Amino acid sequence: MEALKGTDPARIGEHVLLARLGAGGMGQVYLGRSPGGRLVAVKVIRDEITGHPEALARFRREAETVRAVRSAYTANLIDASLAAPPYWLATEYVAGPTLGRAVAARGALPADTCLRLFAALAEGLASVHAYGVTHRDLKPHNVILGGQGPQLIDFGIAKGVGATALTQDGQAPGTPGFTAPEVLVGTGTGDGGPADVFALGATMAYAATGRAPFGTGDPATVSYRAVHEPVDLAGVEPGLAALIGACVAKDPAQRPDPAEVVRRCGVRDALVDDPVYAGLGALAEPVPAPAHVPALVPIPLPVEAVAGVHAMPTEGPGVPYVPTRAGRGGRRRGLWASAGVAVVAALALAAWKLMPPAGDGGAGGPGGGGASAQGRTGAPATPAPAAPQGGGKPPAEYIEGNRVSRYLWTGAPDPVQAAQGIGQCNQPAEEKSPGAGFQSSVSTTSRNGVPGDTASIKMRIKYAEMEKTRPAPYHVSVAVKSPHDIEPGTGKPFPTDNRAVGYTSKPVDIYTHWQSGGDVELTYPDDFSMHGGGRTWPAVPLSADRGDWTVVFYHVEDDPAKYASIACTGFQVG
C-alpha cells in the first residue's frame, strides 16, 4: 500500500480514495471508502489504453465476471462505471497480505498450513467454475490471505462459457511459471478447469518452497521450463509434493479436478484456526486516514418523488417511487410532463469532477451535439448560446460526463398506461426550473424503415410567452440515457445498468421562442453526443438497446462541469 500521489484523484465515483494498492497492465488499483464508510478496492483503467477496444472489452468482461460470480472466495462487485472515461470498478476490500507478499516476508509455509490453504483455494476454484468461469491467471499475487479465508482476485482475463478469447499482442493469457503448458504451446486456451488446476499447483509449489515453481529469468525461458521440465519441489513433504505434482502434470487429462484436490488434502481443521495462517494477518497494512477532500453535498431523504407523466400539463402531487425493472415493448407518446412545482422535497446529487477536460469537445467535434431547436413556429434557434443579460459568462458549449448518474426512468407497470408511455423517474431533480414550471414531451419516430429509431424531445417553460419582458437566458442541456452501458467503440449494450450521464445535447436557451410561445425541439440521436476526458462520442440509435430510456434535463452554467437537473422523464424502446 502506497500513499496517494499528487496526480491521483481525490475521488473515483462516490468513493474517497485513501491509498494506492498496486498497479497492473490494465490500470491502477486504489483503496477507497464508500459514502457509508465501507472500504473498497477501486480499479481504474489506464488513460493510455482507454481507446483500445480489446482492452476495454477485457475490462468490461472483468466487471461482468466479478458481478456474476458470488462466492465466499471472491470479492463482490460494489459499483462500476463502464460507459465513458475514466472507466473503473469497485469491489469489496479484503484486508490481508497477498500470498506472494506473505511468503516473501515469512518464507515457505509448513506442510500442514499448505494443505489447508490448498484445500481452501481448490474449493474457491470449484465455486468459480460452477459459474462457468475460469480464472486463467491464478498466482500468489492474486490470492489475498483474508481473515475469513483466502480470496481470489483480478479476473482481468477470466473467461466465461461462450466468451470470445481476448489476449494481448497475441500472447498466451496468464503469467509465465503459472500458465499451463497446453496454453503456452497453443493446444489449449485455458478455458477449462485443468489450466486453473495447473496454476493452483504452481501457486502451492511457491507457497511450500518460497521459490518460483519453474525458476526465474526471461519469461520465454520460464515458459519453456513449464512445458518441458518438472516443477521445483525440493524439500517439500512427500504427500504434499505428490499432490502438487499431480496438479502440474503436463497432460491436462492427468490433473485432478478441484473437488478431488480437496479430498486428497484431507483437512480436518479450519484454515483460519491454523496458527501460521492466522499469524500472516499481521502483515496486513493499516488503513491510512483520508486526506482532506471537499465534503459531499448532504442528501436529505425525499418526501415525495417527481411528478408522473400526465396527458395534459398539471401541477399535482408526485407519485410513489417504483423500483427499476426490465424494459418492455411499446413506444413513448407525445405527452407533456410538469416538473419543478410537484416536488415537496428534492434530493441533492453529490457531484464531483473525476477528470478535468483535456479540450473543449464542443460542437464541431465528432458527433458534436448542436441543438436543432426547431419549435412549432419553425423559427431556428440562435446559432450560439447568448451571454446572460446584464453581462457575465456565456454558457458552456457542452456538459462533461464526469459524474455518476443514478437517474432511471421506469415505464408504468399497468399495461394500458405503459402503452400510453406513462412512467416515472426514481428520484427528484436537484433544483427547480424557472417560471411557472418546466414542461417536456418525448415521442419516438421512424427512420430508414426502422420504427422508433429516433426520438423527438420538446421542452418549454409554461406560459413564458405571457411574460411582458424577455426572461434572462436559461440554458438547458438534455441527457438521454440508454438502459444499459454502451460500449463506445462498438455501440453495443453492455449488461450493466447505465450510471453514466449519457448522450447530451448542446445547451440551448429555453426561452429561444419566447415571443412565439414555441417549443425547443431536439432530435435524438442527431443532436446528441457524449463528452468525457476531452473526448466526444456520437450517440447510438435507439435500436441499439431495448428497454426503458431515461431523459434528464440539466440547467447548465458557464463551466461544462457545472450543471444541475431540473426534470426527468423517459420513454420505452421495444
Side-chain angles (χ1 to χ4, degrees), residues 22-259:
M26 290 291 292
Q28 181 69 46
V29 183
Y30 296 98
L31 174 64
R33 188 190 64 207
S34 73
R38 186 177 193 177
L39 293 178
V40 294
V42 184
K43 185 173 185 178
V44 184
I45 194 170
R46 291 189 289 119
D47 291 344
E48 55 267 34
I49 63 173
T50 56
H52 196 295
E54 189 170 276
L56 288 178
R58 184 179 294 114
F59 191 69
R60 290 170 181 273
R61 173 179 292 174
E62 178 176 6
E64 190 59 26
T65 299
V66 176
R67 182 190 297 276
V69 176
R70 296 289 178 175
S71 169
Y73 298 94
T74 60
N76 289 330
L77 184 70
I78 302 299
D79 201 358
S81 178
L82 307 171
Y87 304 97
W88 56 270
L89 61 87
T91 63
E92 294 175 304
Y93 172 70
V94 181
T98 64
L99 177 59
R101 181 168 180 266
V103 172
R106 299 285 178 85
L109 304 180
D112 286 347
T113 302
C114 282
L115 285 170
R116 294 186 179 100
L117 180 59
F118 214 152
L121 291 176
E123 188 174 57
L125 276 184
S127 177
V128 170
H129 292 172
Y131 285 89
V133 172
T134 48
H135 190 287
R136 302 208 303 166
D137 197 21
L138 178 60
K139 57 186 177 182
H141 289 285
N142 282 344
V143 174
I144 295 181
L145 305 180
Q148 302 301 314
Q151 297 274 302
L152 302 174
I153 63 170
D154 199 349
F155 284 79
I157 61 173
K159 188 173 179 184
V161 174
T164 302
L166 293 173
T167 60
Q168 185 172 359
D169 301 326
Q171 299 175 0
T175 301
F178 300 91
T179 303
E182 67 271 18
V183 179
L184 295 171
V185 301
T187 59
T189 61
D191 300 346
D196 276 353
V197 171
F198 180 93
L200 172 62
T203 296
M204 292 312 305
Y206 171 81
T209 66
R211 302 183 297 271
F214 293 97
T216 59
D218 181 78
T221 301
V222 173
S223 294
Y224 178 89
R225 296 190 194 115
V227 174
H228 300 286
E229 298 179 6
V231 66
D232 176 10
L233 293 173
V236 178
E237 188 272 329
L240 176 59
L243 181 53
I244 293 175
C247 290
V248 297
K250 307 304 182 186
D251 182 358
Q254 300 301 314
R255 299 171 200 152
D257 63 21

Side-chain angles (χ1 to χ4, degrees), residues 273-335:
D273 294 331
D274 183 288
V276 175
Y277 182 87
L280 298 176
L283 297 173
E285 298 181 79
V287 176
H292 173 71
V293 293
L296 293 174
V297 178
I299 305 179
L301 292 176
V303 177
E304 292 188 63
V306 177
V309 182
H310 302 274
M312 295 295 292
T314 70
E315 296 178 356
V319 292
Y321 164 73
V322 175
T324 303
R325 50 177 175 73
R328 298 171 306 282
R331 65 177 61 176
R332 182 82 173 97
R333 310 297 190 216
L335 305 178

Side-chain angles (χ1 to χ4, degrees), residues 231-548:
V231 66
D232 176 10
L233 293 173
V236 178
E237 188 272 329
L240 176 59
L243 181 53
I244 293 175
C247 290
V248 297
K250 307 304 182 186
D251 182 358
Q254 300 301 314
R255 299 171 200 152
D257 63 21
E260 176 63 14
V261 172
V262 174
R263 188 191 66 79
R264 291 181 60 174
C265 287
V267 298
R268 297 292 183 268
D269 303 311
L271 174 63
V272 294
D273 294 331
D274 183 288
V276 175
Y277 182 87
L280 298 176
L283 297 173
E285 298 181 79
V287 176
H292 173 71
V293 293
L296 293 174
V297 178
I299 305 179
L301 292 176
V303 177
E304 292 188 63
V306 177
V309 182
H310 302 274
M312 295 295 292
T314 70
E315 296 178 356
V319 292
Y321 164 73
V322 175
T324 303
R325 50 177 175 73
R328 298 171 306 282
R331 65 177 61 176
R332 182 82 173 97
R333 310 297 190 216
L335 305 178
W336 285 103
S338 177
V341 294
V343 179
V344 177
L347 279 175
L349 288 179
W352 52 89
K353 202 165 190 175
L354 298 181
M355 181 183 295
D360 66 10
S372 61
Q374 294 287 344
R376 283 195 293 254
T377 63
T382 45
Q389 291 184 349
K393 297 180 180 179
E397 290 290 310
Y398 63 95
I399 65 175
E400 185 83 13
N402 60 357
R403 65 177 69 171
V404 175
S405 171
R406 301 192 181 279
Y407 282 97
L408 292 173
W409 180 86
T410 305
D414 179 78
V416 176
Q417 291 181 319
Q420 296 174 344
I422 298 175
Q424 63 184 23
C425 279
N426 63 332
Q427 60 187 45
E430 296 170 272
E431 66 177 43
K432 290 184 178 181
S433 62
F438 178 85
Q439 298 175 326
S440 67
S441 71
V442 182
S443 59
T444 56
T445 57
S446 301
R447 174 178 291 180
N448 298 326
V450 180
D453 206 31
T454 63
S456 173
I457 303 170
K458 299 179 182 179
M459 55 184 174
R460 68 179 181 182
I461 299 296
K462 186 178 181 181
Y463 306 134
E465 64 272 19
M466 299 179 66
E467 297 287 341
K468 294 183 179 180
T469 58
R470 191 190 195 285
Y474 185 89
H475 291 91
V476 176
S477 176
V478 183
V480 177
K481 290 178 52 174
S482 53
H484 306 96
D485 276 334
I486 297 292
E487 165 63 53
T490 65
K492 295 181 179 180
F494 189 74
T496 306
D497 290 341
N498 193 349
R499 296 190 180 183
V501 172
Y503 300 101
T504 61
S505 67
K506 182 177 179 179
V508 61
D509 183 11
I510 195 67
Y511 297 112
T512 296
H513 305 303
W514 159 62
Q515 289 182 321
S516 63
D519 312 321
V520 173
E521 182 175 355
L522 302 168
T523 300
Y524 181 91
D526 299 8
D527 299 326
F528 291 78
S529 55
M530 183 183 295
H531 304 272
R535 299 183 61 186
T536 300
W537 294 266
V540 299
L542 299 180
S543 56
D545 196 12
R546 307 292 180 178
D548 293 338

